[in-house]
Amino acid sequence: MSKVPSDLKYTRTHEWLRTLPDGIVEVGITDHAQHSLGDLVFVEVPEAGRTVTPGEPFAVVESVKAASDVYAPLSGEVTEGNGALAGAPETLNTDPYGAGWLARLRPSGALPALLSAAEYEKLTAEESD
Amino acid sequence: MARRTPLFAIHQSAGARIVDFGGWDMPLQYGSLLAEHHAVRRAAGLFDVSHMCVVDLQGEGVRPFLLKLFANDVGKLTVPGKALYGCLLNERAGVIDDLIVYYLGEQWFRVVVNAGTRDKDLAWIRRHAEPYGLTVRERTDLAMLAVQGPEARARLAALLPPPLAERALALGAFFGAELGRWFIARTGYTGEDGFEVMVPAEDAEALWRSLVAAGVQPCGLGARDTLRLEAGMNLYGNDMDETTNPLESGLAWTVAMTTPRAFIGREALEAARARGLEHKLTGLVLEERGVLRSHQRVLAPGIGEGQITSGTFSPTLERSIALARIPIAAPDQVQVEVRGKLLAARVVKPPFVRHGKSLVG
C-alpha cells in the first residue's frame, strides 16, 4: 500500500504539493507514482526562472523501462529545481515526499482545484482495480 | 485471454508485476529491476522462459530440411547435444525469426523459437517439412527455466543427483544433454554463464522453489531485456524482422555462405550483398545524461540518419546504451534525438558487457 501523507495536496496525474511557510509550493511525484515507474535512473528538473502553466510538462522522470512527464500543477515561476537528483535519481524511489522533491514554485495566483489525501487515495485505489 | 506458463501462480504469489508479452501473461519484475539485473551479473538469477516455443523435428529428412530452412549451417552440428543459433529467412531474406537448434540425434533436432512468432514459425516449418516427411511436435508438455550468472551452474548442479550433476557441469558452452527427465543446456540470453533447463511442466514449480531456496534471484522480463541488451544480443521484432535481412541486423556471423548450400533467402542475400549494404546494426553508448529508447532518430551529419532499435539504461555501465540501425558509412560519433534534444553518442561494437565486465571503456 503506497503512502499518502495527509498534509499534502495531490493531482490526478500523481504529483504532490506542499505549501511552505513563505508561500512557495514544493512539488514532487507520489509514492504510488514512483512505485509504478520502478527504479528511476534519470531525472530532469526545470530551471529557476521558468514560468509554467497547469498541465504543462515541466520535468521528466525515467525508469529503466520508460520515460514519464511530470506536469506543473499550478501557474507560477520555478524558484528552484532539485539539482541533487541528477546524480541520485533513486532518491525519488526512496524518499518521494522528502529529498525527492522535484521543484519549488512561486504561484502567480490562487491554486487550482487539487485533491485531498483521501481523494487521492480513492483515485489510486480505483486505478489499481 | 493471454496464455499462462506452469509457473504463473508462483509469479503471482511472489507479487510480480504481470504484463502481456507475445500473448503470454509474464512477470515484468518481482521487486527492483536493478536488483534482479545485478543478481545475474554478480551471482545467479532465475527466469521463467516457458513462453518460448520448443519444437521437436523428427525423421530421416530432418538434417536436409534444416540445411534448406535455416540460414546457419546445421552441417556444423556433428556432436550430439551441440546447439547452433541462427535465423529462418523468407525468400526476400527478411528474418522470420531467430532461434536455437539443438542436434539431439541424426533423426531428431529440437528448435526453440520466440513466443510472439510461434504461429507463423510453426506454419512455415510445417509447410516446408511436408516433402521431407517429418514429424513436427510442439512440446507444450515442457516448461523452460533459465538459471544465469557466475554462480548459476553450481546452484543448479547442487540440486541434481551426483552423477547427473557431474555431467551437467561437464557441458561445454552451447551444448545440451538429456539428464534424467530434464534437458539441460549451457545457453542463455544474458551474457553470463548458466543453463537453460527444459523440464516436464509438472516438475517446474518444485525446481523453481528449490532454486529460490538456494538463493537464486527470480528475475522478470525487464531484467531479461537489460541483460540481453548489455550482452549485445538482438531481440526479434525490435532489432530485426521480416523487413530487414541478417546482414543489416548484426547477424552476418549466423549466416553460413562459404559452402554452396541452397537455403531459403540465400539468393536475396547474395543480391543484397552485390548491390552493397546501406545500413548496419551497431551499438551506441550515450555520452550525455539521458536514456536512449527504441525509435529515436540517430543523425550522422552529412551522411544520413538511422534509428535506435533497442535502448535502455545499462545498470552495469550506469549510462544509456542502445542497438541502432545506422548508415554503413556513419562515423564513430553520432547524435541521437532524445526528447527534442540532440545528444552525443559513440558508436561501439557490441557486446557492451560480458561476464560482468564492461567492454566499452
Side-chain angles (χ1 to χ4, degrees):
Chain A
M1 195 63 206
S2 57
K3 294 187 199 71
V4 184
S6 59
D7 59 329
L8 304 181
K9 294 289 187 186
Y10 299 88
T11 67
R12 295 190 164 274
T13 46
H14 308 287
E15 291 86 13
W16 58 259
L17 296 86
R18 173 185 290 126
T19 304
L20 303 174
D22 58 0
I24 299 290
V25 177
E26 201 168 69
V27 178
I29 62 165
T30 64
D31 190 38
H32 172 82
Q34 72 77 17
H35 185 75
S36 311
L37 289 163
D39 295 307
L40 289 159
V41 296
F42 175 78
V43 182
E44 192 175 86
V45 298
E47 285 180 15
R50 176 171 161 190
T51 58
V52 296
T53 54
E56 170 184 334
F58 83 134
V60 179
V61 293
E62 299 202 34
S63 67
V64 181
K65 296 309 296 172
S68 293
D69 287 316
V70 182
Y71 302 100
L74 52 80
S75 291
E77 183 185 332
V78 176
T79 61
E80 194 182 353
N82 186 355
L85 295 176
E90 66 278 9
T91 309
L92 279 171
N93 294 116
T94 55
D95 193 9
Y97 297 115
W101 63 276
L102 289 166
R104 291 176 178 147
L105 302 159
R106 180 181 296 114
S108 59
L111 294 187
L114 295 163
L115 304 178
S116 68
E119 289 164 333
Y120 181 70
E121 214 157 346
K122 190 160 170 268
L123 176 82
T124 55
E126 282 164 6
E127 274 188 7
S128 44
D129 279 349
Chain B
M1 177 72 188
R3 298 178 70 184
R4 292 175 170 180
T5 78
L7 293 164
F8 179 79
I10 286 204
H11 305 322
Q12 210 171 27
S13 64
R17 188 175 304 175
I18 304 293
V19 293
D20 177 85
F21 182 79
W24 292 76
D25 277 338
M26 296 300 290
L28 177 66
Q29 60 196 70
Y30 296 83
S32 160
L33 190 162
L34 293 178
E36 294 170 19
H37 180 104
H38 291 313
V40 173
R41 288 277 177 254
R42 296 167 187 167
L46 175 59
F47 301 81
D48 178 10
V49 287
S50 307
H51 59 306
M52 298 200 72
C53 174
V54 181
V55 184
D56 281 345
L57 306 172
Q58 284 165 304
E60 279 178 22
V62 62
R63 189 186 286 270
F65 165 74
L66 285 169
L67 285 168
K68 180 179 176 197
L69 210 72
F70 193 48
N72 210 337
D73 185 358
V74 294
K76 296 173 188 170
L77 297 174
T78 53
V79 182
K82 183 68 181 164
L84 188 65
Y85 171 79
C87 297
L88 294 181
L89 305 181
N90 61 30
E91 301 288 357
R92 300 178 308 282
V95 182
I96 294 173
D97 200 8
D98 64 332
L99 58 153
I100 289 186
V101 174
Y102 293 95
Y103 170 50
L104 300 182
E106 209 35 55
Q107 296 191 28
W108 179 21
F109 286 67
R110 171 171 291 178
V111 302
V112 181
V113 306
N114 283 302
T117 50
R118 169 195 174 269
D119 294 354
K120 70 168 184 175
D121 289 357
L122 280 173
W124 182 260
I125 289 170
R126 289 207 161 101
R127 189 177 120 205
H128 288 92
E130 209 164 312
Y132 293 88
L134 302 186
T135 308
V136 178
R137 187 159 62 112
E138 185 185 6
R139 297 297 304 267
T140 51
D141 55 316
L142 298 179
M144 179 149 66
L145 281 64
V147 196
Q148 301 278 299
E151 295 172 16
R153 291 165 62 236
R155 301 280 177 93
L156 180 77
L159 303 178
L160 297 169
L164 296 187
E166 206 172 298
R167 288 179 57 202
L169 291 172
L171 285 170
F174 247 64
F175 269 93
E178 281 202 290
L179 299 173
R181 285 158 59 87
W182 299 353
F183 180 80
I184 300 182
R186 195 171 172 188
T187 50
Y189 194 47
T190 62
E192 298 298 325
D193 206 342
F195 288 131
E196 290 179 302
V197 191
M198 298 173 204
V199 303
E202 62 271 20
D203 289 0
E205 203 169 309
L207 174 57
W208 183 277
R209 288 189 196 283
S210 305
L211 285 163
V212 172
V216 181
Q217 167 71 49
C219 299
L221 292 178
R224 184 168 163 82
D225 192 52
T226 53
L227 288 158
R228 71 91 191 169
L229 192 43
E230 284 188 347
M233 294 171 173
N234 288 22
L235 172 63
Y236 188 80
N238 275 42
D239 305 309
M240 73 290 198
D241 59 26
E242 292 193 24
T243 69
T244 55
N245 73 44
L247 305 180
E248 58 197 11
S249 306
L251 296 173
W253 63 279
T254 71
V255 183
M257 299 220 276
T258 49
T259 58
R261 180 178 59 102
F263 61 88
I264 298 173
R266 178 170 189 143
E267 282 177 24
L269 268 185
E270 284 176 346
R273 185 177 271 174
R275 279 196 307 274
L277 296 170
E278 290 174 13
H279 292 91
K280 61 182 174 185
L281 191 80
T282 188
L284 298 182
V285 175
L286 187 64
E287 301 201 302
E288 303 184 54
R289 293 179 58 243
V291 187
L292 302 173
R293 307 281 184 192
S294 56
H295 305 303
Q296 288 170 347
R297 285 169 70 208
V298 182
L299 294 111
I303 291 171
E305 62 175 76
Q307 204 178 61
I308 302 234
T309 55
S310 292
T312 190
F313 173 81
S314 158
T316 305
L317 304 179
E318 296 189 310
R319 51 188 159 156
S320 186
I321 59 170
L323 293 177
R325 183 166 285 109
I326 62 174
I328 207 146
D332 290 346
Q333 289 288 333
V334 293
Q335 292 177 309
V336 185
E337 189 179 306
V338 179
R339 303 179 66 87
K341 291 180 193 157
L342 290 179
L343 304 183
R346 183 160 50 100
V347 176
V348 300
K349 190 175 165 8
F352 304 91
V353 176
R354 189 80 181 152
H355 298 309
K357 300 279 187 304
S358 166
L359 300 179
V360 296

